[in-house]
Amino acid sequence: MKKLFHDRVEAGRLLAAVLGGYADCAGLLVLALPRGGVPVGFEVAKSLKAPLDIFVVRKLGLPGDEELAMGAIASGNVRVLNDEVVRSFGVSSRVLDEIAEKESVELRRRERLYRGAAPEPDATGKTILLVDDGIATGSTMRAAVAALRQQGPARIIVAVPVAPPATCRELKTEADDVVTVIEPENFYAVGQWYEIFDQTTDGQVGELFERS
């Protein structure tokens, strides 16, 4: 199967083209989810001439199958759960709390590492483009949307290169809009749509954040 995107840089440029109507929009802020969303968000922000910032969210992986998200946490003590996964696998509240606490430690570490002394982004009254390199179940993005709502933005637009149609429909009930380059029915994983999908490093995130 032909890959749609060469890498995250190309995906960001293609996504920026779809978002062209937001160019020079007053009060626009691009918030990228580390790590993989930052190279994509950097290209979007550069093309739309908008400021770029980072919004840290951590997935709560199912014990023994960490790639399967049973929920996520985000800044502001926000926790979003995939009730169907939690119920199906019989995950107890104690196990959930233990995993959430572990991920909270990593969330705080990343916030300090990426942001340093820089203040957290202020989303109040702004139009937010919430960017990642793709969405599978949507739990991480749902946590980000829920956390941002607490800051009172004017609008939240989820913007990703690729996501399955069902996840996009679900997110549209929570975000103000969902914008994608492609929404394939035969979706298995975000990485299947990229030729190069190696892990974005903390160093790359920090460098792009500084350059922005």
Side-chain angles (χ1 to χ4, degrees):
M1 182 180 65
K2 185 181 183 299
K3 307 292 185 178
L4 184 67
F5 312 112
H6 175 65
D7 58 12
R8 291 181 178 89
V9 173
E10 182 185 57
R13 290 170 181 167
L14 290 171
L15 181 59
V18 179
L19 293 164
Y22 289 98
D24 299 314
C25 172
L28 185 66
L29 174 62
V30 177
L31 287 183
L33 273 56
R35 301 180 179 117
V38 178
V40 180
F42 181 82
E43 296 299 325
V44 170
K46 182 170 65 174
S47 177
L48 300 183
K49 300 176 183 174
L52 171 71
D53 214 310
I54 291 170
F55 197 74
V56 184
V57 185
R58 294 292 297 170
K59 178 172 66 178
L60 302 178
L62 183 72
D65 186 7
E66 279 70 23
E67 286 304 305
L68 179 59
M70 56 181 181
I73 58 171
S75 300
N77 295 318
V78 174
R79 182 194 294 188
V80 176
L81 295 179
N82 185 327
D83 293 327
E84 184 178 346
V85 172
V86 172
R87 243 190 341 264
S88 298
F89 290 91
V91 182
S92 68
S93 298
R94 179 184 61 80
V95 170
L96 270 173
D97 289 342
E98 288 175 356
I99 294 172
E101 177 54 35
K102 175 185 171 184
E103 293 300 336
S104 293
V105 172
E106 178 62 13
L107 185 147
R108 291 190 292 269
R109 184 194 74 82
R110 290 195 181 195
E111 286 180 326
R112 291 192 300 269
L113 179 65
Y114 301 149
R115 191 171 301 287
E120 290 189 8
D122 182 9
T124 308
K126 294 180 180 175
T127 296
I128 305 297
L129 295 181
L130 197 54
V131 178
D132 204 353
D133 54 11
I135 300 173
T137 65
S139 60
T140 302
M141 190 61 80
R142 285 171 56 216
V145 171
L148 282 172
R149 284 290 184 208
Q150 297 180 351
Q151 296 187 27
R155 297 185 74 207
I156 299 175
I157 294 92
V158 171
V160 294
V162 59
T167 299
C168 291
R169 286 193 295 270
E170 290 172 7
L171 280 169
K172 282 179 180 177
T173 66
E174 300 178 37
D176 296 290
D177 197 7
V178 177
V179 177
T180 62
V181 177
I182 184 174
E183 296 178 18
E185 291 285 353
N186 58 332
F187 187 99
Y188 300 103
V190 172
Q192 78 182 103
W193 305 99
Y194 287 81
E195 291 178 359
I196 298 174
F197 197 67
D198 48 357
Q199 189 173 41
T200 306
T201 67
D202 286 337
Q204 289 171 319
V205 171
E207 178 191 352
L208 290 172
F209 186 40
E210 285 185 19
R211 284 172 59 189
S212 69

